[in-house]
Amino acid sequence: MRRLRSFVAVSVVGVLAGAGMSSVVSGCDGGQIIPTPGPDGGTTSNAGGGSSVSTGAGTSASTGGQGGGDGGPMLPTSLTAKVSSRRFLTADHMLASLEMQISGEPFAELMGRDLGGYDRFSSTPDVYVDPATGMSAPDLLGFSTAVESYEYSKQAMNNLSFESGAGLSLQFGPLLNPMGAEGDAAFALLGPRLEYFAKASRASGAKVGKDFVAVPAPTNDLKNAYGWAGFWPVYAEFRSFDPTIKAKVGADQQCSLAGAIDEPTPPGTTMQYVGDYECDSTSLNLPSRDAQVEKVIEVDALGLAAWKQTLWTINYWGSLHDVDQNPIIKFDPASLAQVGVPGNALVGQWPDPLDPGGTSLVFGKAGTFFGDVSLEGWQGLVMLDEIDNKSELMLKGLMTTDGAKVSGVASVKAALDYDYTSPVRWWPASIAVTEKATGTPAESLKFFPKATTFTIQNKGSRLQDLTAVLGGFGTVFAMTDAVNSEVGGSLPFLATFDGVPFAADNGLPDGENSLHDRSLAILKMALVNLDRLHFDTRNKVLTDTADPIAKAPGTTVSTLHTSYSILGLRTALRGLNASLALYSNDTPDAVGTPIPLDQTKLGGAPYTGTLGSRVLDLITAQGDFLADKLLDADGLAANGWDLATGKADSAPTTLEAQSSAIRGLLEAYLATSNVHYRQRATQAYDILEKRFWMGDVHLYRTTLGESSKMTYTPVAFGATHGALRQFWKLVANHPGNEKLAAEVLSHITSGMKLVVNGWNDVNADGVVQPGECLGAGLQMAERALTGEFSIATDKGDRDHDCVPDVATAGMPASLAAELVIERK
């Protein structure tokens, strides 16, 4: 799938989703999006059989959970909402963002939407215009997935990668700056690297404030030392930070997200200017960075951030582009080395826009560059460099052998040789960082802070860290693997890892200084330690924590970490066996395919067979424990299990536990084809619907038995969002399950609109009315790609969807740490 080209000149559609609409456009599964009367004469829309409205007191698409949700009396439907913590929790946020991206454009396409039917810059959201007919209709489900879920996930990633400064600066990345040079010497390393990326993606130009990346950068502007004002590249993210910012109001700089310089404005459209901060990140930086960040590194944050960055980069690398932004998908492979070379004249081919079948190709303009459009090419190259340097740090600087001090492996080859007989070396759970300034306050966007010491805070090993590493670097490896025809073997990635701009590799697990081999080494150490330290041989399950010095697993097994460990293990296995693809990993896996790590040392392994087969065994062990221990006979999840007592946790079940159980079981089914896991996931969904869903307010309880106060976190929302999506794909969207499918889609819409946006559609008309905004949602603010420009006349919410712009909110477009919704 190639994502919708968001960065184009647009004209506002301006179609109101009001009463009296009679248009009909194609929906999913051959269905229709048909406006139907709402309770007050307004409209709702049914998309693919699922109601895409009603987050208040109107009629629910679901028959379960009415009133109290457990057969109790009807409860009041008025709600209040308050963000109780605005903190940016990196690992939690990135987990939710992964689920939100997968539930975005690809999910909308799976449901039959043409992505060209949405105008994400429009001041009127939730409208779908059929590109084939021009007919329009309200489409809350499609818009909330294709635009909101998708772009919210991206905006938080960009905030981490380029804007906030909440992590270690790429200026001191161990590959970019191995000697730790400071001052002008450090600037001389980072500046040319970023300038090359700008030229290689053709995001560069000479006009400061007009072109995305000014090349050369202005010499007299300390806030624009790298050609993009306020640019703050991070290669190792901190655990958390206060995201408060002072974003500017106004579009005085005439910033346009039109992809790149020289892109012609299509006839009949006008250039859309957006908030100045879209082209100048200065006001998106943390204004008091040292006071706002928690200078602690945790590996789950690093792994999940890399996983998220990689998903977007694979997306951006769905094609290359020429000087007119045409999506180049074919050229002479002998010319691979020319891609991205500044001033290159390589001519490629792209799909003929006049061919409705999409099979004919036409030649593009001379010059072929990285990324599907220039801006995304620039961002993707920078993120790849951040991941590359992160991989070096993780191997050479964030491990320990004694729990007292950090250290690293001697070489990539040594890491690949790590086995069950090696002295134990692991990633400790948390590491505190001390930094020093390398310039004056006025020079802080040219000479960045430098880490000076790393001090272990928590020496234990955690399952959640290894899960994040497996998922993240399993996906990273897929980008570098030429054997993977859909990812690393595609022309854009072959051009990326051919020596320039990133190291080439011979394709063998032999310890070369390349991202290919560093990813393999990280995966090898993570898999061995997962098995060696965390696997309880008596209970046949991976424990949440382990004592590496004693080589002893802990005694706690949580449902959340058990479930997501299955996702991490399966992602790593599919990355290693060259079957991992972007968004298309929802069919049962082929079993027994060799992986490169099968060729490495495995001395002392407590099993026979290959490492690949052992990974599948671990997935099965986790799936069995989840299905047979953590779920009761009816499908209700426990929050966890105490191996010491042999008993389930007695606390009321949380939403994240119930939802993650569904997510994990369906992933285990895909990995093993064992239908028992799918059956148990179906039982778990039945419990989710009957005992957690409250039909009168269109909301899930976050703790079983509590109907008045719901506490949503990124993890609770992300796990539920992902579980519903996967359940629809693998169970509900089958013939005969139309009512179930409608129910699931209705709940997905409610989660996005009520929990994330903070819109309680009390009259169920599918249109935001005065008084329906709760004043808070999990998403704290919006930017241009979801309709907000931060212009004074917009009065803080240009598209009237209950989510303010970043300047009004004083927050980035990111999720809060905690949202409390209560009944009045």
Side-chain angles (χ1 to χ4, degrees):
M1 185 206 78
R2 183 176 182 276
R3 73 184 289 270
L4 176 65
R5 289 177 60 185
S6 302
F7 302 106
V8 295
V10 297
S11 59
V12 176
V13 175
V15 179
L16 296 176
M21 296 185 73
S22 59
S23 56
V24 177
V25 295
S26 297
C28 62
D29 305 317
Q32 298 174 322
I33 304 172
I34 306 175
T36 56
D40 62 349
T43 61
T44 66
S45 65
N46 182 288
S51 171
S52 62
V53 298
S54 203
T55 53
T59 302
S60 170
S62 164
T63 57
Q66 290 287 1
D70 291 317
M74 185 69 79
L75 297 172
T77 59
S78 296
L79 300 172
T80 63
K82 180 181 180 180
V83 170
S84 51
S85 173
R86 290 180 168 84
R87 198 156 190 87
F88 192 114
L89 304 178
T90 302
D92 292 2
H93 202 312
M94 290 299 99
L95 184 147
S97 293
L98 285 168
E99 299 288 15
M100 292 171 76
Q101 180 174 348
I102 300 168
S103 294
E105 282 188 2
F107 190 49
E109 284 196 314
L110 184 64
M111 293 188 294
R113 275 38 169 207
D114 183 327
L115 300 178
Y118 299 106
D119 178 3
R120 60 198 64 216
F121 293 96
S122 176
S123 60
T124 303
D126 303 323
V127 174
Y128 181 76
V129 181
D130 186 356
T133 66
M135 303 293 283
S136 63
D139 181 16
L140 275 66
L141 172 63
F143 193 88
S144 67
T145 53
V147 178
E148 292 174 328
S149 185
Y150 196 65
E151 297 298 355
Y152 291 160
S153 81
K154 176 184 178 180
Q155 291 166 354
M157 177 197 69
N158 285 358
N159 183 255
L160 266 182
S161 301
F162 316 127
E163 298 165 355
S164 66
L168 303 184
S169 169
L170 182 60
Q171 188 166 67
F172 298 102
L175 294 176
L176 178 71
N177 188 354
M179 303 305 295
E182 300 176 17
D184 287 331
F187 175 75
L189 295 172
L190 181 59
R193 184 69 166 167
L194 296 177
E195 182 176 307
Y196 180 84
F197 289 159
K199 292 178 178 178
S201 61
R202 205 180 155 275
S204 59
K207 299 177 182 178
V208 177
K210 298 296 183 184
D211 298 322
F212 288 120
V213 186
V215 176
T219 58
N220 59 349
D221 186 353
L222 288 175
K223 293 183 178 181
N224 194 7
Y226 296 98
W228 184 302
F231 198 66
W232 219 116
V234 162
Y235 81 98
E237 300 79 8
F238 290 145
R239 174 169 65 186
S240 76
F241 59 98
D242 169 6
T244 302
I245 56 174
K246 297 178 180 179
K248 294 181 180 178
V249 175
D252 300 331
Q253 297 182 22
Q254 293 188 326
C255 172
S256 170
L257 299 180
I261 60 170
D262 301 333
E263 182 177 359
T265 302
T269 64
T270 56
M271 188 64 72
Q272 181 72 71
Y273 296 120
V274 297
D276 290 338
Y277 51 74
E278 299 290 356
C279 296
D280 179 344
S281 300
T282 307
S283 68
L284 303 179
N285 300 156
L286 299 179
S288 302
R289 178 181 178 272
D290 282 349
Q292 290 180 250
V293 300
E294 183 185 17
K295 295 184 180 181
V296 175
I297 288 177
E298 293 188 343
V299 172
D300 61 343
L302 301 185
L304 286 163
W307 198 346
K308 176 62 177 167
Q309 290 172 320
T310 304
L311 281 187
W312 274 107
T313 303
I314 295 173
N315 194 327
Y316 297 165
W317 263 231
S319 72
L320 301 162
H321 69 273
D322 66 10
V323 297
D324 281 349
Q325 301 294 335
N326 296 315
I328 303 301
I329 62 173
K330 182 179 180 181
F331 59 85
D332 181 359
S335 302
L336 204 65
Q338 296 183 40
V339 173
V341 174
N344 81 85
L346 175 61
V347 176
Q349 293 175 275
W350 63 290
D352 185 350
L354 300 180
D355 176 17
T359 58
S360 300
L361 299 179
V362 294
F363 286 99
K365 299 292 183 67
T368 301
F369 301 89
F370 288 109
D372 54 0
V373 293
S374 293
L375 180 55
E376 292 177 346
W378 148 262
Q379 292 173 336
L381 288 170
V382 175
M383 288 192 295
L384 284 174
D385 216 31
E386 292 171 346
I387 292 168
D388 205 13
N389 281 272
K390 179 184 294 186
S391 71
E392 180 79 353
L393 177 70
M394 289 182 63
L395 285 175
K396 303 292 182 64
L398 292 183
M399 305 196 82
T400 186
T401 57
D402 59 7
K405 62 181 182 299
V406 295
S407 60
V409 294
S411 66
V412 178
K413 181 64 165 58
L416 284 166
D417 286 341
Y418 184 77
D419 64 14
Y420 294 81
T421 66
S422 302
V424 175
R425 187 182 295 274
W426 73 98
W427 289 286
S430 63
I431 299 172
V433 178
T434 302
E435 292 181 315
K436 72 171 186 177
T438 62
T440 67
E443 297 170 322
S444 62
L445 288 173
K446 180 178 181 181
F447 304 132
F448 294 103
K450 178 183 180 181
T452 56
T453 59
F454 295 85
T455 305
I456 295 174
Q457 285 188 332
N458 181 339
K459 65 184 179 181
S461 177
R462 301 189 304 180
L463 177 61
Q464 68 198 66
D465 295 332
L466 297 175
T467 292
V469 167
L470 291 173
F473 283 90
T475 311
V476 170
F477 176 72
M479 295 190 303
T480 71
D481 183 15
V483 179
N484 187 321
S485 60
E486 291 197 40
V487 186
S490 66
L491 286 174
F493 279 111
L494 290 174
T496 303
F497 294 101
D498 64 349
V500 179
F502 296 97
D505 189 274
N506 62 10
L508 301 174
D510 55 2
E512 291 184 275
N513 189 28
S514 65
L515 185 56
H516 176 280
D517 277 11
R518 279 193 297 276
S519 297
L520 280 178
I522 288 170
L523 291 170
K524 174 70 179 294
M525 298 192 77
L527 287 170
V528 170
N529 280 343
L530 192 76
D531 195 10
R532 188 181 189 186
L533 303 178
H534 287 263
F535 190 66
D536 183 304
T537 56
R538 183 170 67 89
N539 293 284
K540 298 191 184 309
V541 69
L542 297 168
T543 60
D544 285 2
T545 60
D547 180 347
I549 295 175
K551 300 179 184 177
T555 59
T556 300
V557 176
S558 67
T559 300
L560 176 71
H561 296 320
T562 299
S563 299
Y564 272 94
S565 72
I566 298 172
L567 177 60
L569 283 162
R570 180 174 178 246
T571 301
L573 186 59
R574 288 177 62 84
L576 288 166
N577 68 24
S579 65
L580 188 68
L582 181 66
Y583 305 145
S584 58
N585 301 297
D586 296 314
T587 56
D589 300 341
V591 176
T593 305
I595 65 174
L597 293 179
D598 290 340
Q599 306 170 39
T600 62
K601 293 175 59 178
L602 278 175
Y607 55 85
T608 58
T610 65
L611 182 57
S613 65
R614 180 58 175 173
V615 174
L616 191 60
D617 289 343
L618 291 174
I619 291 173
T620 301
Q622 295 296 86
D624 287 347
F625 199 91
L626 184 56
D628 301 333
K629 293 284 190 181
L630 291 168
L631 289 191
D632 70 11
D634 296 326
L636 177 66
N639 296 325
W641 191 276
D642 186 342
L643 297 178
T645 62
K647 294 181 180 180
D649 178 26
S650 60
T653 302
T654 63
L655 177 62
E656 66 186 41
Q658 191 69 29
S659 296
S660 65
I662 299 168
R663 182 75 167 96
L665 286 165
L666 291 175
E667 204 70 21
Y669 160 70
L670 290 171
T672 65
S673 295
N674 186 340
V675 296
H676 175 60
Y677 299 142
R678 189 174 62 182
Q679 292 167 347
R680 292 293 276 156
T682 300
Q683 290 180 293
Y685 175 81
D686 288 342
I687 293 292
L688 183 70
E689 178 62 22
K690 292 175 181 176
R691 302 193 62 184
F692 283 83
W693 181 252
M694 297 181 290
D696 63 325
V697 289
H698 289 247
L699 190 66
Y700 284 112
R701 294 178 174 86
T702 52
T703 302
L704 191 63
E706 173 57 66
S707 302
S708 297
K709 180 178 179 180
M710 285 63 71
T711 303
Y712 276 89
T713 64
V715 171
F717 172 74
T720 304
H721 203 48
L724 292 175
R725 179 197 68 242
Q726 293 302 104
F727 187 76
W728 185 87
K729 287 181 180 181
L730 299 175
V731 179
N733 190 35
H734 289 175
N737 287 345
E738 288 78 13
K739 183 178 179 181
L740 177 62
E743 175 182 273
V744 174
L745 295 179
S746 173
H747 296 351
I748 289 173
T749 309
S750 293
M752 283 300 303
K753 293 303 184 183
L754 180 52
V755 177
V756 176
N757 286 11
W759 168 31
N760 186 21
D761 187 15
V762 177
N763 62 7
D765 68 347
V767 180
V768 179
Q769 303 289 356
E772 291 186 341
C773 291
L774 295 177
L778 205 56
Q779 181 72 18
M780 294 188 291
E782 288 187 324
R783 290 172 59 170
L785 290 181
T786 47
E788 295 295 346
F789 299 163
S790 293
I791 297 171
T793 55
D794 294 338
K795 298 180 180 179
D797 187 7
R798 173 177 174 269
D799 58 358
H800 307 290
D801 65 351
C802 300
V803 185
D805 63 57
V806 298
T808 299
M811 291 284 153
S814 62
L815 301 178
E818 187 174 272
L819 172 74
V820 176
I821 301 177
E822 295 186 84
R823 296 175 182 270
K824 289 184 179 180

